[in-house]
Amino acid sequence: MTSRRLCEPKLRVCAFLIALLALSACERPQVYDTQFLAFGTLVEVTVYGADRQLAEHAFDAARADFQFLHRSWRAWKPSAVTRANAAIAAGRSIELAPVLEPLIEPAQRLSRLSGELFNPAIGKLIELWGFHSDDYAGRRPPVNARIDALVSQHSSMRDLVLEDGRLSSSNRSVQLDFGAFAKGVGVGRVVEHLRRIGVDNLIVNAGGDLRAIGAHGERPWRIGIRNPLAEGVLASVEINADESVFTSGNYERYFEFRGRRYHHIIDPRTGYPARGATSVTVIHADPGTADAAATALFVAGPRHWHSVAHAMGLGQVMLIDTQGRAHMTAAMAERTRFEVDPPPPIIVNKGS
Ligand code: AMP
Ligand code: MG
């Protein structure tokens, strides 16, 4: 969907020149957007106030960046991540691929801050549950003993050692899966790239997770947060200048077995899908932090999310619990407009 503001030529004299001027005036204050598939989801790039040529250039750059990053960071097909995992499993060190630099150390830091609720070292558990594939037909939960065996190996980002440009692990059970983080880092890098080529007002939205910079003309960007318990939008927020909004939800990847839903966000302490939350939205200046934090707070659940949010330095959080109540920080409550009638019961965390 590409929209153009209409332009009325004011004079009919000097037709050629005027037409050219009118065209360039028309080409300025417009919204352009494009969509493509990357990171297993639909990515939408929306640009405001750039001319068509710059917008097309930006779309090509975004598409190429996302494809490159996805191919480099995916955990289930050959990539820099699977090569690192193979070395770790074999007890070898491997040269740290430059493309992994934006992931490894930042993920170690965020994992530590989250009390390891965000733990990209649990790839073996994710694989055991079968969430590396989109084919869930006939899927059933793994047997307890296999889950327990993996949990007892305590795979942690702390086990990774970076020395002289080489990566190794003191624990061979570590298997990296950046599914909870790569999209955030990727969206952040793509936006930086587009900014460098001259786009100042844009949204990069990867399946509802986004970073927005600048504004939509005179007004800020307004974005919707999906309702985890029904179709449609639950709430909306206005974006200030440069912010990222990331949501983790139990509706994204799941299967049902004997009437119970088994979703893809795994509590590393139990090895089972985390309980208590249906979605967590985090707004933060840094998209990688927002992505990792949404996953961590989902695992923390309605009773513990605020202490993890505090440890991770987050000010803007909304968690929807399984009863549909909205647990929020004060700053998030202030800027959130609920789009459902009646709005959900709201529990504002006093300490936030
Ligand atoms: P997100 O939608 O950002 O919450 O990411 C979920 C994805 O991250 C899953 O599909 C898994 O690949 C991976 N994952 C699941 N549980 C965790 C966890 N506790 N820590 C880190 N990554 C996880
Ligand atoms: Mg995440």
Side-chain angles (χ1 to χ4, degrees), residues 208-209 225-226 245-249 251-252 279-282 290-291 294:
D209 293 327
I225 298 168
R226 178 176 162 167
V245 186
F246 276 69
T247 300
S248 287
Y251 47 80
E252 284 178 51
S279 79
V280 175
T281 300
V282 175
D291 194 356

Side-chain angles (χ1 to χ4, degrees), residues 36-73:
F36 49 88
L37 290 172
F39 281 90
T41 190
L42 187 68
V43 176
E44 181 168 24
V45 182
T46 309
V47 162
Y48 180 88
D51 63 33
R52 180 191 291 275
Q53 211 184 351
L54 180 57
E56 294 295 345
H57 180 35
F59 296 158
D60 289 345
R63 218 174 282 123
D65 284 0
F66 269 114
Q67 268 152 20
F68 171 73
L69 295 176
H70 179 54
R71 272 200 303 271
S72 306
W73 292 346

Side-chain angles (χ1 to χ4, degrees), residues 18-30:
I18 297 279
L20 261 187
L21 281 174
L23 190 67
S24 59
C26 259
E27 287 284 334
R28 242 174 284 127
Q30 295 172 345

